[in-house]
C-alpha cells in the first residue's frame, strides 16, 4: 500500500514509519519540521519506497495514498503553547485539509487524538464514552479543544461524506527519539539525571500517570487502522505510577545520588489519568507488552547516546 504519514518526522510518526517500511509499504512522510527532525527518518532517505515532503498541513496538498495516518501536531505543552493559534490551526484547518484529501482520494483516515480530550477527568480510569472535563479557555485548550474539534471533524466527514475513519486516543507515550527539551516528564527526568542536575517534581509528586512504550503504541495504531472499528479507542498502558515513583525509578537507573526538587503544580495539570483499554483488548486483541523498567532502559540508552554525542 501507499501510506501517507503526517508528522512523520516526529517521535511517534518516525517509529510508525519504521514499522510500515519494514512491512514493505510505500511511505510518504509529510512534515513541516516544527518539532520533527530529519535525523528521525534519516535511514529511509534514499530508499525508493520512501518520500519526504516538507509541507505545512494548514495548507492543502494533493497526493495519492491508500491510507493516511494523521499525526501532525506538536504534542508537548512547551511546543503547543509556543504558538497556540498555530496549534489550533494545525488541529482544525490541518485536520480539515487531510480529511478533505482522504475524501477526494478515498483513503482510509487515521486520527491521532489524545487522552487530553478527557481534560482533568472526574472518572477514573477513563473509558471512551466519558465526555471529559476540559477548560475551553485554559492554556491547554489550543491542544485539547483542538483535538476535540479534530475528532468532531473526523466523525462529520464520516457521517456526511462516508470517509472511512479510525480515531485513536493516545495516552502518555515514551521511548527513544522523544525531544530532550519538550518538558514531558519522562524526558525531563532522564535529561536531568544524565546532566547531573536535580529532578524537578511538580506538586508533591502524588499525581499519577500511565506510560506506554512506543513500540506497543505503534502496534496498536496498525491494528486499529487495519480493523473495522472507527473508534475512538484508547491506546495506552494502564499501569499507573505516581510522578514521584517515576522520578525515583529514573534516579536509581541513572544516578542514585541525584537530588529530587519539588516545584508548584502548573495550571490545569490533570491529577490522575489512566486508560481503560477494554475496547482495545476486545476489538483489536491489543495490550501493552513492554514493562516500564524495560522501556525506560531503552529510552535512557537513546538519550545517553544523544546527550553524550552532542
Ligand atoms: N507522544 C504522546 O505521548 C502523545 C500523546 C497523545 C497524543 N499524541 C499525538 O500524537 C501525534 C504525534 O505526537 P508526537 O509525540 O510524535 O509529537 P512530535 O511533536 O514529535 O511530532 C509531531 C510532528 O508533527 C509535525 N508538525 C507539527 N505541526 C505541523 C504542521 N502544521 N504541518 C506539518 N507538520 C507538522 C512536527 O514537525 C512533528 O514532526 C500528535 O498528533 C499528538 O497530539 C501524542
Amino acid at each position: 500500500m501507499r501510506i501517507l504519514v503526517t508528522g512523520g518526522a516526529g517521535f511517534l510518526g518516525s517509529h510508525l514509519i519504521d514499522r510500515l517500511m519494514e512491512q514493505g509499504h510505500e511511505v510518504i512522510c509529510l512534515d513541516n519540521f516544527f518539532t520533527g527532525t530529519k535525523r528521525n527518518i534519516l535511514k529511509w532517505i534514499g530508499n525508493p519506497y520512501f518520500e519526504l515532503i516538507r509541507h505545512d498541513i494548514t495548507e492543502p496538498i494533493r497526493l495519492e495514498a491508500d491510507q493516511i495516518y494523521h499525526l501532525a501536531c506538536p504534542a508537548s505543552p512547551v511546543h503547543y503553547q509556543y504558538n497556540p493559534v498555530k496549534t489550533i490551526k494545525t488541529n482544525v484547518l490541518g485536520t480539515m485539509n487531510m480529511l478533505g484529501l482522504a475524501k477526494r482520494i478515498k483513503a482510509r483516515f487515521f486520527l491521532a487524538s489524545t487522552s487530553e480530550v478527557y481534560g482533568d477527568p472526574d472518572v477514573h480510569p477513563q473509558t471512551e464514552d466519558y465526555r471529559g472535563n476540559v477548560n475551553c479557555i485554559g492554556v491547554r485548550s489550543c491542544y485539547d479543544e483542538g483535538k476535540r474539534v479534530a475528532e468532531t471533524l473526523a466523525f462529520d466527514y464520516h457521517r456526511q461524506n462516508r470517509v472511512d475513519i479510525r480515531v485513536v486516543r493516545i495516552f502518555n507515550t515514551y521511548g527513544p527519539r522523544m525531544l530532550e527539551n519538550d518538558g514531558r516528564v519522562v524526558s525531563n527526568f532522564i535529561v536531568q539525571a544524565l546532566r547531573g542536575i536535580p529532578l524537578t517534581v511538580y506538586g508533591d509528586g502524588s499525581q499519577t500517570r500511565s506510560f506506554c512504550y512506543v513500540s506497543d503504541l505503534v502496534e496498536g495504531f496498525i491494528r486499529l487502522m487495519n480493523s473495522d472499528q472507527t473508534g475512538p479507542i484508547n491506546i495506552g498502558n494502564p499501569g499507573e505510577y505516581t510522578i514521584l515513583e517515576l522520578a525515583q525509578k529514573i534516579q536509581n537507573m541513572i544516578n542514585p545520588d541525584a537530588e529530587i526538587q519539588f516545584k508548584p503544580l502548573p495550571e490545569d495539570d490533570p491529577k490522575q489519568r489512566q486508560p481503560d483499554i477494554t475496547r482495545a483488548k476486545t476489538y483489536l486483541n491489543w495490550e501493552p507488552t513492554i514493562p516500564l523498567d524495560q522501556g525506560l532502559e531503552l529510552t535512557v540508552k537513546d538519550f545517553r547516546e544523544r546527550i553524550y554525542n552532542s
Side-chain angles (χ1 to χ4, degrees):
M1 272 191 282
R2 185 183 296 150
I3 303 179
L4 170 64
V5 180
T6 78
F11 164 47
L12 301 181
S14 63
H15 284 280
L16 173 65
I17 287 179
D18 288 349
R19 191 77 72 86
L20 296 172
M21 289 295 294
E22 283 155 11
Q23 289 180 344
H25 296 291
E26 224 179 281
V27 173
I28 306 173
C29 169
L30 195 153
D31 207 294
N32 71 350
F33 299 110
F34 174 46
T35 49
T37 70
K38 283 190 189 157
R39 184 170 17 93
N40 287 342
I41 39 158
L42 204 58
K43 69 171 167 209
W44 303 117
I45 292 175
N47 184 308
Y49 297 104
F50 179 77
E51 277 174 77
L52 175 61
I53 301 175
R54 179 190 287 265
H55 176 78
D56 192 305
I57 56 155
T58 58
E59 301 292 334
I61 189 166
R62 279 174 186 264
L63 292 165
E64 294 298 325
D66 304 298
Q67 295 185 333
I68 302 174
Y69 284 90
H70 176 43
L71 275 66
C73 175
S76 65
V78 252
H79 292 114
Y80 72 64
Q81 286 167 11
Y82 171 75
N83 184 344
V85 172
K86 175 73 194 207
T87 301
I88 199 136
K89 279 187 184 167
T90 297
N91 275 317
V92 180
L93 295 178
T95 303
M96 246 159 84
N97 285 332
M98 291 304 120
L99 279 160
L101 176 67
K103 174 186 159 194
R104 201 158 49 237
I105 63 177
K106 297 190 169 42
R108 185 173 287 181
F109 179 88
F110 176 105
L111 174 67
S113 183
T114 169
S115 58
E116 299 275 337
V117 299
Y118 301 125
D120 189 358
D122 33 33
V123 304
H124 191 72
Q126 293 83 50
T127 54
E128 291 84 348
D129 46 20
Y130 174 58
R131 293 190 187 169
N133 174 28
V134 178
N135 174 4
C136 68
I137 55 168
V139 293
R140 301 171 81 102
S141 46
C142 59
Y143 183 73
D144 48 35
E145 292 289 11
K147 288 285 185 180
R148 286 167 72 95
V149 175
E151 286 197 18
T152 307
L153 284 167
F155 277 87
D156 282 338
Y157 269 83
H158 175 60
R159 282 184 289 255
Q160 190 177 333
N161 302 110
R162 291 179 299 285
V163 174
D164 191 15
I165 59 159
R166 303 288 181 268
V167 176
V168 65
R169 291 187 181 148
I170 306 165
F171 284 68
N172 270 353
T173 302
Y174 70 100
R177 304 183 197 156
M178 291 180 89
L179 287 176
E180 286 163 36
N181 62 346
D182 73 357
R184 285 193 251 189
V185 63
V186 173
S187 45
N188 266 2
F189 289 159
I190 295 179
V191 170
Q192 289 167 333
L194 287 174
R195 295 224 159 102
I197 54 178
L199 278 66
T200 36
V201 169
Y202 294 96
D204 62 3
S206 64
Q207 68 277 35
T208 62
R209 290 292 184 276
S210 61
F211 305 99
C212 185
Y213 188 66
V214 62
S215 61
D216 281 333
L217 184 87
V218 166
E219 178 64 30
F221 278 14
I222 292 175
R223 285 193 193 202
L224 173 59
M225 178 62 123
N226 297 296
S227 76
D228 55 5
Q229 300 293 315
T230 55
I233 290 196
N234 290 338
I235 297 279
N237 191 326
E240 208 181 4
Y241 296 88
T242 69
I243 295 295
L244 189 57
E245 276 172 327
L246 177 75
Q248 287 162 343
K249 265 185 192 299
I250 293 174
Q251 181 190 39
N252 290 334
M253 217 169 257
I254 299 176
N255 174 10
D257 297 328
E259 191 193 329
I260 297 186
Q261 216 170 55
F262 293 88
K263 289 207 173 155
L265 209 57
E267 192 193 336
D268 283 347
D269 194 56
K271 285 176 272 309
Q272 247 185 347
R273 200 165 294 136
Q274 184 193 26
D276 180 309
I277 57 165
T278 311
R279 278 199 199 178
K281 278 186 182 163
T282 313
Y283 299 123
L284 310 178
N285 194 20
W286 177 89
E287 61 184 321
T289 59
I290 310 283
L292 185 60
D293 287 310
Q294 189 186 341
L296 284 177
E297 293 283 357
L298 295 164
T299 311
V300 167
K301 182 172 174 282
D302 170 68
F303 271 93
R304 213 184 275 280
E305 284 163 10
R306 275 189 283 158
I307 288 180
Y308 295 155
N309 293 334
S310 63

